[in-house]
Amino acid sequence: MLRCGYALFWLLGSVLLICVVSPVKGEAVVTHEGSHLKLSKSSHSNESQHGHSSNATGIPIISFKWHHVETSYLVAFWMIKEKKKYILPLANREVIEANHHVTSVIPESALLICFGFILGGMIWAADKVQTFTLTPTVFFLYLLPQVILDAGYHMPNKLFFTNLGGILVHAVIGTCWNAASLGLSLWGCQMGGAMGDLDIGLLQYLLFGSLMAAVDPVAVIAVFEQVHVNDVLFIMVFGESLLNDGVTVVLFNVFDAFVSLGGPKIDAAEIIKGIVSFFVVAFGGSLVGLGFGLLISLLTRCTKNIQIIEPGFIFVLGYLSYLTAEMLSLSAILSIVFCGMCCQKYVRANMDENSVQTVRYAMKAFANGSETIIFVFLGISAIDKVIWVWNTGFILLTLLFVLVYRFIGVFFLTWILNRFRLVPLEFVDQVIMSYGGLRGAVAYGLAVMLDENKIKEKNLMVCTTLIVVYFTVILQGITMKPLVMWLKVKRAAVTEVSLLEKLTNKMFNHTLVAIEDISGQIGHNYMRSKWKYFEENWMSWILMKPSARKKQDQLLDVFHQLNLKDAMEYVTEGERRGSLEFVRNENSIIDFKKKSESESFDINNANISNDHGVMSNTSRDPIPSVSLEMHEQTMKAVREAEAINAHHLLDQHLYKSRKQHRHRFSRSHFDINRDEKEVQEIFQRTMRNRLESFTSAKMGVKPPKTIVKHTQKEQQQKMPNGKSMDKAKTSYSGDEGSEGDSASGYDQSYMRATYRAGAGIENPAFMPDLDPMDLLQIPPWLAESELDSSMVALSHRAQVGLPRTPSNLRRLAPLRISTRSTDSFTLENIPDTQQMDSDQLPPPPPPRPPRDDGYV
Amino acid sequence: MGSSSSSRNKIPNAQELMDQTGFSSAHLLRLYDRFECLDRDNRGYLSPDDFEAVGGLAMNPIGGRIIDAFFSSGQDTVDFSSFVRILAHFRPTDRNRNKEGTQQELPNSRTRKLKFAFQLYDLDRDGKISREELLQVLRAMLGLQVTEEQLQSIAERAIQEADLDKDDAISFDEFKKSLEKVDIDTKMSIGFLK
């Protein structure tokens, strides 16, 4: 457990640093143990620094306590050095990514390795020794977990489990086949004398075969991400590469043990133990991962109040799952994969949206960084005289066998699988799967871990591994894309989410379950529905926040996404045009064009006349174009005037906080200036204003009761079917005719009310917004008595220009909300009491807009 | 083949069914067994009650619709051949057969699968999915998770996505078009019927 504690300590310290620091942790720990210190000192700068400080101890006034700080000093230097060292590749990656036309031909991984060659050459030229190598410790403990965690966390679970059978067959049987066939064939070739005099026994060949067997997830991700093959093919290759790591590591350990034991001592019992250990290691690792995944889910369920650190949990616990599995000598890779896969759903549901994004980006950043470092170091490692032991026969035969047996294995296994698959894998898919068997850093890391004492030809093996890695990553990587094009492999379709599609998919699932029920079979769908039932009723209940449980349906998710997209588009458009007005304006215009019934124009005109105040009757002839024009003009004028008006009012009457823009620094919260007292005070003030306005309204103007009543009735009509607009119009057209000529304020406001009600605004307070004050022509800020009340009503006034007809509004359902919120934004600090009191009170009389002067 | 052909005799017009649906005789036999199992009174046809007796269907939010799909309008019984014809919608498409250039469209073609799905929506069978029909489906599937208003706006949006001719309803062509990218063959197929 000590190791665990260490790891946790260092991890907590550095988990939020960028990934470039992560290798340092390893060195730091090691530095404590004092074993790798040589490595850090080997660089010039460190040595000189060391020299300086030890010379300086003679000065009496300022004593340098070098030994006191030695460790941390070195650590710090290491950090800087390592940062430089790692930032360089990262910067290079930026450069590479900037040139997209390069990466479209050559995959990044290949470019990075080539860059590693150059970098290694430079180091070689400067130092004449190989300073930097990718040590297995750094690779397995600090670079690999991030990449794998990212892969697991972003795994498309449904796809994965649908194809789990195929993936497992390829990962387990395929890998064993690769290892055995390669080892045996090489041994056979040596027996046949194909590669001269080599001191390698059968077991050692098998060991070599096992480390070469695994398809490398890092390399596969790097290449396939850029090729965009179809989902099923991708998940087959990717899933296999993830899961077979467990197999490889187990195989490697078993053969390693066998090699140590020596040939004669191996009996049936040992072999059986080896097989048992394989299952224990694989399933144990997965279980550890699942356990940690559940733990993460549980933790995020109750981190509502510490949102700042909740993303950290995922990294810390994910990493811990890796370390724990490693500590128990279970499969660490499987552990972290399943940890990520298990927690993803609940984490996304439980955490705040910001945290989810943070996790996503941090995860990608870590993974990308690690990936870059891994590939560059694979390149750098090549520039080392020691490892280059050439044996043409061995190397070429290995390359050949690796490729050939991969093809044979994939085709044979797929042939078997296709007899059971619903949609068989096609021939071209199989070719790509075989060709996608890239070897990578895992193989290299394992090769470096070989014990030189037991295996005499270690360097040859390392060298061969490197060549195989280069061959597969660079050559196969580069040719992958042309091959995919040439074979016309089905590519991943760029999908646009659509609600109907999602709904129909859901329906398909239910249908299939039902059909399986009817035809009396227990198939995939049946199992899936059972699992889903269990998941929804038990797992979610335990692992998810109650609030998140309600909206976990994907359909809602899609709906939310679509709405968000709309809103974003509107904002962008608004910013382009300078304001969001166009939403109101444009829609009303389009709408007028669409609806050319005289009735609607009647109302339009009424509306305009309303805006004009006095000239209600004169502009009543229903010529579409004219009224449109005028309407727009007036609207503009209204808006400008309104804006000035609003600013003035807000300036004068909004609550001015005494501590303006007091940005409070807080480690755990982002929000600023949310003093409870302040909010309280604002609330009270607003309430007082409301009360005043209420009394003044009651005493003074008394809006007719009918308005409220009508509007409410209307709303009820509107709710059940969305198209009550017409009904509303017809039902009120009579009144309109009779009252229209009177041109009183009430009438107009009444008509507006009906109109707006049709437009779907639920809040009755938004409706009547004209009052006798209109006729007095007093600028609002002069009418002292009415001011306070108008402050609130102003927001309603601003709503005049909302999209006008029901069809439009329904379309802009999300927008309606956003308009309202824009409004509340204008009146920033007024709490949401409008709804409350306006339901009961007659609406406060709004100010009279000043623009009449221009028209009268 | 000998044993199966002898037991095949008890299935009425087996050969014709095989031609029409593409099922093999083994499949037909299996389905016939199931049919007899569902037909508890040995009447030779199934009524809606027989379907409702199937355990899982009661829990299925669209179980009722699926049952309805088996009964062509006006009838309240389904015999074995109709039963098989409905199930044939869910047979996976096999590429080889299509290449032979079959004279008639098999029920497991893409269009037929889609048509089946469409009919699950289209309760009044007027060839259009109206807003109300969509709402009902949504209500069944989303259940109590959401408010009625949300359901309405979702339905509204879904209709607008697909509705090309602006008649406020989704016709079959529009339905087909909006599901163009969906891999129907995979999603409307069941393994054992292969």
Side-chain angles (χ1 to χ4, degrees):
Chain A
M1 281 315 283
L2 187 70
R3 189 171 163 196
C4 216
Y6 249 112
L8 181 61
F9 172 66
W10 281 104
L11 199 77
L12 276 174
S14 58
V15 80
L16 291 177
L17 296 178
I18 50 170
C19 59
V20 290
V21 188
S22 60
V24 178
K25 288 176 299 184
E27 293 308 328
V29 178
V30 174
T31 317
H32 278 299
E33 289 153 11
S35 69
H36 268 236
L37 237 129
K38 244 191 291 176
L39 198 64
S40 65
K41 278 182 190 164
S42 66
S43 62
H44 298 303
S45 63
N46 256 0
E47 269 175 13
S48 61
Q49 179 65 36
H50 198 286
H52 274 302
S53 39
S54 41
N55 285 345
T57 42
I59 302 167
I61 303 171
I62 310 163
S63 62
F64 282 78
K65 293 175 185 165
W66 168 248
H67 293 289
H68 186 60
V69 293
E70 182 179 10
T71 320
S72 23
Y73 226 87
L74 283 180
V75 170
F77 262 97
W78 246 98
M79 281 173 81
I80 296 167
K81 267 198 65 62
E82 293 275 317
K83 256 190 191 168
K84 261 190 216 154
K85 184 167 124 191
Y86 289 117
I87 278 173
L88 205 55
L90 286 175
N92 180 60
R93 192 190 181 109
E94 309 264 300
V95 173
I96 290 174
E97 291 200 343
N99 298 320
H100 264 291
H101 55 277
V102 179
T103 46
S104 63
V105 182
I106 307 167
E108 264 175 68
S109 45
L111 275 180
L112 287 171
I113 288 185
C114 295
F115 176 73
F117 290 152
I118 300 168
L119 208 65
M122 275 155 52
I123 295 168
W124 181 258
D127 281 7
K128 295 291 174 208
V129 283
Q130 174 56 279
T131 319
F132 308 115
T133 47
L134 189 60
T135 58
T137 333
V138 170
F139 173 70
F140 279 110
L141 284 186
Y142 307 110
L143 292 177
L144 193 58
Q146 302 149 6
V147 183
I148 307 290
L149 180 63
D150 173 60
Y153 185 76
H154 291 106
M155 174 78 77
N157 272 352
K158 193 180 164 195
L159 200 60
F160 180 80
F161 283 110
T162 316
N163 296 293
L164 186 63
I167 292 171
L168 275 179
V169 165
H170 277 288
V172 178
I173 302 176
T175 309
C176 291
W177 155 257
N178 280 351
S181 59
L182 178 65
L184 288 175
S185 313
L186 282 177
W187 182 67
C189 288
Q190 199 206 344
M191 290 289 113
M195 36 195 156
D197 189 24
L198 281 177
D199 185 14
I200 304 177
L202 173 62
L203 280 175
Q204 289 165 345
Y205 270 120
L206 286 175
L207 180 61
F208 179 67
S210 70
L211 74 86
M212 286 301 303
V215 175
D216 185 64
V218 186
V220 165
I221 298 168
V223 169
F224 274 77
E225 223 165 44
Q226 291 167 4
V227 185
H228 303 297
V229 291
N230 62 66
D231 288 347
V232 177
L233 180 53
F234 179 75
I235 204 71
M236 287 298 280
V237 181
F238 180 51
E240 184 205 338
S241 70
L242 274 181
L243 296 193
N244 71 9
D245 272 302
V247 183
T248 321
V249 175
V250 175
L251 275 181
F252 181 81
N253 288 337
V254 169
F255 283 118
D256 202 29
F258 283 172
V259 168
S260 316
L261 270 177
K265 286 187 197 157
I266 298 170
D267 50 14
E270 295 292 334
I271 293 175
I272 290 172
K273 263 200 255 170
I275 295 171
V276 171
S277 93
F278 162 73
F279 285 103
V280 171
V281 167
F283 284 100
S286 313
L287 279 181
V288 168
L290 287 180
F292 271 94
L294 294 180
L295 192 64
I296 293 177
S297 312
L298 268 180
L299 260 180
T300 52
R301 190 180 185 229
C302 45
T303 52
K304 204 174 85 192
N305 298 322
I306 39 172
Q307 279 176 1
I308 292 291
I309 59 167
E310 64 185 1
F313 284 128
I314 291 150
F315 294 100
V316 174
L317 285 175
Y319 191 48
L320 267 186
S321 81
Y322 187 88
L323 289 179
T324 313
E326 185 78 44
M327 181 178 73
L328 301 170
S329 63
L330 301 171
S331 170
I333 295 176
L334 285 181
S335 165
I336 203 167
V337 166
F338 278 99
C339 177
M341 276 166 56
C342 172
C343 73
Q344 54 165 281
K345 178 179 174 186
Y346 305 107
V347 163
R348 276 176 207 161
N350 281 340
M351 287 200 318
D352 185 61
E353 202 150 325
N354 288 328
S355 305
V356 173
Q357 291 292 343
T358 311
V359 169
R360 184 176 300 156
Y361 279 97
M363 201 85 95
K364 288 284 173 208
F366 279 123
N368 259 316
S370 295
E371 201 186 302
T372 312
I373 293 165
I374 289 170
F375 281 121
V376 170
F377 268 68
L378 274 180
I380 292 179
S381 308
I383 315 295
D384 188 357
K385 258 205 309 216
V386 187
I387 60 165
W388 287 109
V389 182
W390 193 263
N391 182 321
T392 318
F394 186 79
I395 292 170
L396 288 186
L397 279 173
T398 308
L399 261 182
L400 181 74
F401 287 143
V402 162
L403 206 60
V404 168
Y405 287 127
R406 169 83 186 167
F407 268 90
I408 294 176
V410 167
F411 273 84
F412 179 68
L413 291 175
T414 321
W415 178 72
I416 294 175
L417 280 173
N418 269 352
R419 316 181 124 225
F420 302 101
R421 279 182 71 87
L422 188 61
V423 182
L425 283 171
E426 288 167 35
F427 177 75
V428 282
D429 286 348
Q430 296 175 37
V431 172
I432 296 298
M433 270 180 75
S434 319
Y435 202 66
L438 309 175
R439 268 56 169 190
V442 173
Y444 174 73
L446 289 176
V448 174
M449 267 165 70
L450 289 174
D451 188 352
E452 228 164 325
N453 301 324
K454 280 181 279 182
I455 297 161
K456 301 282 183 322
E457 305 286 351
K458 178 192 169 184
N459 281 335
L460 176 63
M461 288 187 179
V462 173
C463 156
T464 314
T465 313
L466 271 180
I467 289 179
V468 173
V469 169
Y470 296 151
F471 179 82
T472 52
V473 171
I474 298 180
L475 273 179
Q476 285 180 235
I478 291 174
T479 47
M480 180 65 84
K481 206 166 187 182
L483 189 72
V484 166
M485 306 276 241
W486 182 62
L487 289 174
K488 297 194 181 66
V489 176
K490 228 198 278 168
R491 307 289 281 271
V494 185
T495 48
E496 229 172 273
V497 276
S498 99
L499 277 173
L500 189 66
E501 198 182 304
K502 205 82 199 169
L503 180 65
T504 313
N505 272 344
K506 213 170 150 67
M507 191 146 158
F508 286 158
N509 287 342
H510 286 307
T511 314
L512 291 189
V513 175
I515 294 294
E516 280 193 355
D517 278 336
I518 287 174
S519 56
Q521 301 282 325
I522 296 178
H524 286 300
N525 298 295
Y526 178 80
M527 302 296 276
R528 193 191 294 150
S529 87
K530 280 276 168 289
W531 161 251
K532 220 171 158 193
Y533 181 77
F534 169 76
E535 209 254 44
E536 262 164 28
N537 285 294
W538 293 99
M539 308 250 304
S540 300
W541 191 77
I542 298 170
L543 297 175
M544 252 189 220
K545 270 195 253 185
S547 57
R549 265 206 301 281
K550 275 184 196 151
K551 44 189 170 188
Q552 60 169 316
D553 199 283
Q554 279 183 317
L555 201 61
L556 293 176
D557 204 43
V558 173
F559 184 58
H560 179 67
Q561 276 174 23
L562 287 172
N563 283 343
L564 264 185
K565 210 174 83 186
D566 270 8
M568 293 294 283
E569 268 167 21
Y570 276 115
V571 170
T572 329
E573 183 69 7
E575 276 169 357
R576 201 170 62 78
R577 298 196 188 190
S579 83
L580 273 175
E581 293 292 351
F582 78 96
V583 174
R584 306 162 181 181
N585 222 352
E586 208 171 61
N587 286 318
S588 52
I589 290 172
I590 291 167
D591 200 65
F592 294 148
K593 278 179 187 158
K594 208 163 67 185
K595 296 210 164 196
S596 52
E597 311 135 53
S598 65
E599 228 176 13
S600 73
F601 278 107
D602 220 27
I603 293 191
N604 285 342
N605 289 340
N607 214 1
I608 294 166
S609 64
N610 193 349
D611 287 335
H612 285 229
V614 263
M615 45 192 303
S616 61
N617 289 328
T618 51
S619 64
R620 267 224 162 183
D621 65 337
I623 303 166
S625 59
V626 172
S627 73
L628 251 181
E629 195 91 359
M630 286 190 32
H631 183 80
E632 216 193 335
Q633 275 176 5
T634 37
M635 288 308 287
K636 231 176 231 163
V638 171
R639 249 173 265 121
E640 268 163 37
E642 231 167 56
I644 297 167
N645 199 348
H647 279 294
H648 189 83
L649 274 174
L650 289 178
D651 272 357
Q652 284 198 331
H653 292 275
L654 259 190
Y655 173 80
K656 288 193 188 77
S657 109
R658 250 160 279 137
K659 318 155 203 167
Q660 273 182 335
H661 295 293
R662 178 198 41 178
H663 290 262
R664 215 189 278 135
F665 177 78
S666 160
R667 223 178 277 281
S668 56
H669 294 285
F670 275 127
D671 32 72
I672 298 153
N673 222 2
R674 274 281 163 146
D675 198 343
E676 231 172 71
K677 271 186 199 162
E678 220 168 276
V679 176
Q680 195 71 33
E681 197 173 334
I682 293 167
F683 176 75
Q684 278 168 1
R685 267 188 184 220
T686 325
M687 284 306 281
R688 207 171 52 221
N689 287 345
R690 297 289 173 79
L691 272 178
E692 274 168 20
S693 80
F694 173 62
T695 46
S696 73
K698 259 214 155 154
M699 298 301 153
V701 285
K702 264 194 212 163
K705 288 265 159 52
T706 48
I707 292 175
V708 180
K709 219 169 79 194
H710 273 301
T711 50
Q712 273 171 356
K713 206 165 91 192
E714 174 121 325
Q715 261 182 296
Q716 283 159 1
Q717 272 186 348
K718 187 210 60 146
M719 290 306 281
N721 60 345
K723 349 172 173 169
S724 68
M725 176 61 187
D726 295 345
K727 276 188 206 163
K729 270 184 290 196
T730 48
S731 67
Y732 287 102
S733 60
D735 298 83
E736 223 170 280
S738 64
E739 283 180 71
D741 299 313
S742 68
S744 73
Y746 293 138
D747 183 24
Q748 284 147 17
S749 69
Y750 155 68
M751 277 173 20
R752 167 158 298 174
T754 54
Y755 191 59
R756 292 271 225 73
I761 291 164
E762 282 91 357
N763 193 342
F766 288 175
M767 281 169 235
D769 55 354
L770 257 168
D771 65 314
M773 279 298 293
D774 234 11
L775 301 170
L776 298 179
Q777 299 203 8
I778 302 170
W781 52 87
L782 297 181
E784 289 274 322
S785 59
E786 296 295 327
L787 269 181
D788 284 342
S789 56
S790 62
M791 193 180 93
V792 178
L794 197 69
S795 68
H796 310 153
R797 190 75 190 80
Q799 295 242 356
V800 166
L802 266 181
R804 294 213 167 230
T805 65
S807 65
N808 248 323
L809 256 184
R810 263 179 278 123
R811 188 197 176 106
L812 297 171
L815 196 83
R816 199 191 330 161
I817 298 158
S818 74
T819 342
R820 202 177 290 161
S821 65
T822 323
D823 245 317
S824 62
F825 174 69
T826 333
L827 294 178
E828 204 168 34
N829 283 327
I830 294 181
D832 197 4
T833 48
Q834 295 173 351
Q835 210 93 14
M836 197 180 81
D837 52 2
S838 56
D839 279 347
Q840 301 137 7
L841 310 183
R848 186 205 159 350
R851 40 70 211 169
D852 280 55
D853 307 1
Y855 291 94
V856 178
Chain B
M1 224 33 205
S3 64
S4 73
S5 64
S6 63
S7 49
R8 215 171 80 195
N9 292 333
K10 66 185 176 185
I11 305 174
N13 49 21
Q15 192 55 46
E16 192 192 326
L17 271 181
M18 276 162 62
D19 287 344
Q20 282 175 4
T21 59
F23 278 127
S24 71
S25 58
H27 284 140
L28 271 192
L29 266 182
R30 207 144 103 206
L31 290 177
Y32 193 70
D33 285 346
R34 179 64 184 168
F35 183 79
E36 283 183 325
C37 173
L38 287 177
D39 181 18
R40 283 163 303 172
D41 308 334
N42 287 321
R43 289 167 300 185
Y45 57 84
L46 299 178
S47 63
D49 294 338
D50 293 323
F51 282 103
E52 271 152 28
V54 177
L57 279 181
M59 273 168 41
N60 200 316
I62 55 168
R65 285 163 191 263
I66 307 272
I67 294 174
D68 283 346
F70 277 88
F71 299 94
S72 52
S73 51
Q75 289 180 318
D76 54 355
T77 58
V78 55
D79 58 0
F80 180 64
S81 56
S82 325
F83 181 73
V84 170
R85 281 195 192 103
I86 298 291
L87 287 182
H89 285 111
F90 297 92
R91 210 171 59 86
T93 330
D94 43 355
R95 267 167 263 117
N96 307 330
R97 187 178 277 269
N98 287 353
K99 275 176 196 154
E100 287 164 16
T102 38
Q103 61 288 4
Q104 81 214 33
E105 204 180 17
L106 288 169
N108 63 348
S109 73
R110 185 185 161 88
T111 315
R112 296 286 291 273
K113 279 177 197 269
L114 272 176
K115 191 87 193 163
F116 189 88
F118 185 77
Q119 275 164 0
L120 290 182
Y121 282 106
D122 186 18
L123 281 187
D124 58 4
R125 312 219 167 159
D126 65 346
K128 282 190 164 144
I129 303 174
S130 69
R131 182 192 317 277
E132 197 44 48
E133 283 164 347
L134 197 64
L135 255 179
Q136 283 177 15
V137 176
L138 276 169
R139 219 172 276 145
M141 297 228 212
L142 292 179
L144 303 170
Q145 293 176 44
V146 279
T147 59
E148 188 66 23
E149 284 82 31
Q150 263 176 308
L151 283 182
Q152 285 192 354
S153 49
I154 290 178
E156 181 56 44
R157 190 143 191 163
I159 288 206
Q160 264 169 21
E161 273 172 0
D163 187 17
L164 299 175
D165 56 5
K166 305 283 174 228
D167 63 346
D168 230 21
I170 303 173
S171 68
F172 180 62
D173 285 336
E174 288 162 349
F175 184 71
K176 202 171 159 185
K177 191 149 180 62
S178 68
L179 295 181
E180 225 166 20
K181 285 180 185 155
V182 182
D183 189 5
I184 304 291
D185 289 344
T186 329
K187 291 193 168 140
M188 281 287 273
S189 300
I190 290 180
F192 75 98
L193 293 176
K194 192 176 179 179

